[in-house]
Amino acid sequence: MAIESPRELTAENLRLWAAAYLAHLLDRPAAEIDLYRALSEFGLDSMDAVVMAGEMEEHFGVEIDPATFLREATLGELIAELAPLAGREGR
Amino acid sequence: MKALAPAEINPLVPGFLADPFAAYRRLHQAGPVLWHPKLRLWLVAGHAAARQVVRNPVFLSAPAGPIVATLAARAGYVFPMLARSLGVVPFVLNPPAHPPVRRFAASILTGKPLAGYEPVMRALAVRLLGEARAAGGFDAAADFADRLPTLFMGHLLGVPEEEMPGLRRYTDDIAKLFNQLLHVREYRELDGRLGGGLELLERIAAERRRAPRDDAISRMVAARPEGGALSDAEIAAYCLMTFLVGSETTAALIGGAVRILLESPAHYAELRGERALLKPAVEEFLRCETPVQLLSRFASADAEAGGQRIAHGERMVVLLGAANRDPAAYPEPDRFDPRRDGAAHLAFGEAAHACIGATLARTEVRVALDAFLDLPPLRLRAPGRYGSYDWLRRLRQLPVEFA
């Protein structure tokens, strides 16, 4: 699913994209997506994780391991890991 | 109540198989069959439970073809080469597709008596090790363990040796195809490379159709299985998958065996002197360094395994490498002991999906190690590096030097 949101790799854009993506996937309003919950708690299965990593890569032009989405990490922590790449690998 | 796996143990993360044994010990302490709440699947680590699961036809193989096709559709792609290839891999198929594919795949490996292959294996091993010896030191994984099975499989199929470098380029690192968590980007890249390999093999199949030789591709061209004669495209798919499955797993075992030998000088010296011990040692290498560490299953009905109730539809990951080091089946399971007796290992699986190349693999590994033991003593120059597969424990690098 293509998410219409800014593609520049910034913490804010990652947050916007992830909230919109998860809202669509889980069929819930984006405002209800708590980005500070562990990613594993969203209940994504391994296929969801692979697809989400692919979509995120295409959107932002960074490399993301699908296993990320099955870890204990929160989306906030993932964003903190990715944010330093901003301006380096971003499109 | 489901028995739970420690949440921090995740056999699906990259790198897990480089050193899974501490995690396996913790799983054994927790129970033979454990629910992993984060992965939402069962981990089967106990030896008896793993055997129970692989023998029970209620537990079906995870169908990689449809899974990859669904994933591709969700990501907005099609992977035609992956679909073609996975359709002829017996261990990702279930009835009714499974039995005829398995029979045909087995016929590829058994078309000629094994005794005819052993001298070929030996000549290849001696040649590769001769080159390595001339070079002073070598990489026991990249220069020997990897190359011998691919060259032998090339010989068995009838891929001319000058085509082998091309085929190896298309198939390098291709074992990741069976990872549980593979990136869409990697599937795309694999689909392209598989296409190259299939094209190469299809061309050889067309040549054999015009001028048959004494090789498996020619026998496949002539074969008339239940479904009728195979097209060159189908033959290419069988060849590519036989090549992949046969050589990746055998490479893993040869590399793992060499590492064990070089890490345990007493066994190394003993086996150099007493080759009769090699045959039981191969079984012990299979137990300790099980190439296929993980099988993926799902329950096609409510069932039971290792005292746990498995509900219809639930996924399971059978950790063969853990089962083969279950202290309930093997005292001091982490110790390599070629004189060990006791339960048979599960390295080749059992029942419907038992490895069809087991005899070939046992022979090839024994011949390879026999030639390796003929070399002057070697030692490790650096720790090995494992490929990042979640199902295959396979060294990619293992630098060694003459002691």
Side-chain angles (χ1 to χ4, degrees), chain B residues 29-389:
Chain B
Q29 283 162 10
V33 176
L34 302 162
W35 177 251
H36 197 298
K38 301 295 182 198
L39 298 176
R40 291 200 310 287
L41 48 76
W42 293 96
L43 296 180
V44 182
H47 186 273
R51 170 176 283 163
Q52 197 186 351
V53 170
V54 295
R55 283 182 177 178
N56 187 342
V58 158
F59 300 118
L60 295 178
S61 271
I67 290 173
V68 172
T70 307
L71 198 149
R74 279 182 54 184
Y77 292 99
V78 279
F79 300 135
M81 301 303 157
L82 282 167
R84 241 172 92 183
S85 306
L86 291 170
V88 298
V89 178
F91 65 82
V92 299
L93 297 176
N94 293 303
H98 174 253
V101 170
R102 178 180 162 90
R103 271 196 296 278
F104 192 76
S107 76
I108 298 170
L109 300 178
T110 56
K112 243 173 107 163
L114 183 63
Y117 286 135
E118 202 172 318
V120 178
M121 295 169 177
R122 192 172 311 277
L124 288 171
V126 167
R127 192 183 98 197
L128 290 175
L129 291 172
E131 288 169 16
R133 194 172 172 178
F138 62 106
D139 188 314
D143 300 332
F144 180 52
D146 284 11
R147 289 188 65 202
L148 175 63
T150 55
L151 288 173
F152 172 68
M153 199 51 84
H155 166 87
L156 184 150
L157 293 171
V159 179
E161 215 172 307
E162 64 270 19
E163 303 274 13
M164 287 303 294
L167 188 55
R168 280 172 55 90
R169 251 195 320 280
Y170 290 127
T171 54
D172 179 55
D173 205 23
I174 205 163
K176 66 183 180 189
L177 170 57
F178 295 109
N179 274 6
Q180 306 282 309
L181 276 183
L182 196 65
H183 207 288
V184 177
R185 152 173 50 81
E186 295 174 291
Y187 280 120
R188 262 162 53 202
E189 188 257 338
L190 277 178
D191 196 61
R193 278 203 288 138
L194 283 174
L198 289 169
E199 202 181 302
L200 185 154
L201 291 161
E202 207 171 317
R203 179 163 51 73
I204 297 173
E207 284 166 18
R208 295 295 179 277
R209 204 174 281 283
R210 284 192 296 275
R213 294 189 191 172
D214 179 20
D215 59 33
I217 295 181
S218 302
R219 284 191 290 276
M220 282 187 254
V221 167
R224 297 291 177 270
E226 301 103 294
L230 272 70
S231 67
D232 292 348
E234 289 169 308
I235 291 172
Y238 271 105
C239 286
L240 191 63
M241 289 296 109
T242 306
F243 183 84
L244 155 63
V245 176
S247 44
E248 288 292 320
T249 50
T250 313
L253 186 58
I254 296 173
V258 166
R259 215 207 71 225
I260 290 190
L261 287 176
L262 299 188
E263 282 177 352
S264 38
H267 291 301
Y268 185 30
E270 188 182 22
L271 278 164
R272 290 188 80 225
E274 198 192 334
R275 300 302 166 87
L277 203 52
L278 204 42
K279 216 168 171 174
V282 168
E283 298 311 307
E284 184 68 349
F285 291 130
L286 280 160
R287 186 189 71 81
C288 291
E289 283 292 325
T290 309
V292 179
Q293 292 265 323
L294 174 157
L295 302 176
S296 202
R297 293 284 187 272
F298 71 96
S300 63
D302 288 350
E304 186 269 333
Q308 299 290 311
R309 243 187 52 82
I310 316 292
H312 178 201
E314 282 177 340
R315 281 183 62 195
M316 351 180 57
V317 160
V318 184
L319 301 166
L320 293 180
N324 283 339
R325 288 180 181 232
D326 182 352
Y330 308 99
E332 288 188 80
D334 292 327
R335 195 166 57 85
F336 172 79
D337 176 9
R339 294 194 167 78
R340 182 187 289 277
D341 50 25
H345 62 73
L346 292 173
F348 290 124
E350 281 194 9
H353 293 284
C355 175
I356 55 182
T359 308
L360 214 50
R362 284 183 161 111
T363 308
E364 192 172 348
V365 173
R366 179 172 49 74
V367 168
L369 294 176
D370 197 25
F372 176 81
L373 292 166
D374 283 340
L375 289 179
L378 285 149
R379 63 180 172 223
L380 291 178
R381 203 155 54 77
R385 187 180 66 79
Y386 284 87
S388 54
Y389 315 118

Side-chain angles (χ1 to χ4, degrees), chain A residues 2-21:
Chain A
I3 303 293
E4 293 304 322
S5 75
R7 289 171 182 267
E8 195 195 338
L9 184 66
T10 65
E12 181 53 27
N13 289 348
L14 280 162
R15 201 166 280 134
L16 272 172
W17 182 88
Y21 185 90

Side-chain angles (χ1 to χ4, degrees), chain A residues 1 21 25 40-41 43-51 53-55 57-58 63-67 70 72, chain B residues 7 10 12-14 38-40 66-68 70-71 74-75 77 180-188 315:
Chain A
M1 86 199 78
Y21 185 90
L25 186 71
S40 55
E41 288 176 33
L44 308 187
D45 64 18
S46 50
M47 192 183 287
D48 297 327
V50 170
V51 175
E55 299 268 350
E57 280 198 352
E58 285 192 10
E63 290 204 356
I64 297 162
D65 184 343
L70 303 176
E72 295 303 293
Chain B
N10 184 349
L12 302 189
V13 298
K38 301 295 182 198
L39 298 176
R40 291 200 310 287
I67 290 173
V68 172
T70 307
L71 198 149
R74 279 182 54 184
Y77 292 99
Q180 306 282 309
L181 276 183
L182 196 65
H183 207 288
V184 177
R185 152 173 50 81
E186 295 174 291
Y187 280 120
R188 262 162 53 202
R315 281 183 62 195

